[in-house]
Amino acid sequence: GMKQELFHRHKEAQQCCRPHNLPLLRAAQQREMEAVEQRIREEQRMMDEKIVLELDQKVIDQQSTLEKAGVSGFYITTNPQELTLQMNLLELIRKLQQKEAEAKKAFS
């Protein structure tokens, strides 16, 4: 990755550097490495934020779809308690469907 490439470039530079210049070179390289690490962290943070926003949008889409379908208890909300309630409702619906499917199988 980016850090490995930088590390190898730094090693090469150190080998052809005059000994009295080495501390200066190392200090410069340290700053460069820190800048790269900072950039990697920043990109990771932006990716994480993008994923969170996309997940939030999926929740809103789901709430909206279920509300339009007339499923009671579903409406657009970001309130954690209400979200938990909606998730429990979904789980209940899923379990009821499973039981229904098993009952149909038993009678067929």
Side-chain angles (χ1 to χ4, degrees):
M2 236 178 348
K3 273 177 74 174
Q4 280 80 14
E5 283 170 38
L6 194 60
F7 184 74
H8 290 302
R9 210 174 69 225
H10 285 178
K11 269 267 176 277
E12 282 169 19
Q14 284 172 22
Q15 277 154 7
C16 33
C17 178
R18 293 208 175 93
H20 65 277
N21 287 333
L22 208 52
L24 207 62
L25 177 71
R26 284 211 175 111
Q29 288 178 341
Q30 180 64 31
R31 280 197 301 276
E32 191 182 4
M33 187 59 91
E34 281 164 9
V36 165
E37 284 171 353
Q38 177 63 38
R39 207 177 102 199
I40 292 170
R41 276 198 302 271
E42 188 62 25
E43 282 172 10
Q44 185 60 55
R45 192 184 57 77
M46 283 164 71
M47 263 309 286
D48 290 348
E49 281 179 9
K50 187 169 171 272
I51 290 167
V52 168
L53 285 173
E54 283 171 8
L55 284 174
D56 285 348
Q57 188 54 53
K58 289 214 184 317
V59 170
I60 289 169
D61 291 346
Q62 189 179 50
Q63 289 170 340
S64 170
T65 302
L66 290 165
E67 184 180 27
K68 283 178 190 145
V71 183
S72 66
F74 287 92
Y75 42 86
I76 292 172
T77 178
T78 52
N79 178 313
Q81 280 97 355
E82 291 172 5
L83 280 172
T84 304
L85 192 65
Q86 289 185 349
M87 281 162 68
N88 291 339
L89 271 170
L90 274 180
E91 186 58 22
L92 188 67
I93 292 168
R94 201 181 60 78
K95 281 186 178 150
L96 287 171
Q97 279 181 327
Q98 241 172 359
K99 283 208 171 67
E100 201 180 314
E102 284 163 15
K104 274 188 189 146
K105 235 184 284 173
F107 290 117
S108 62

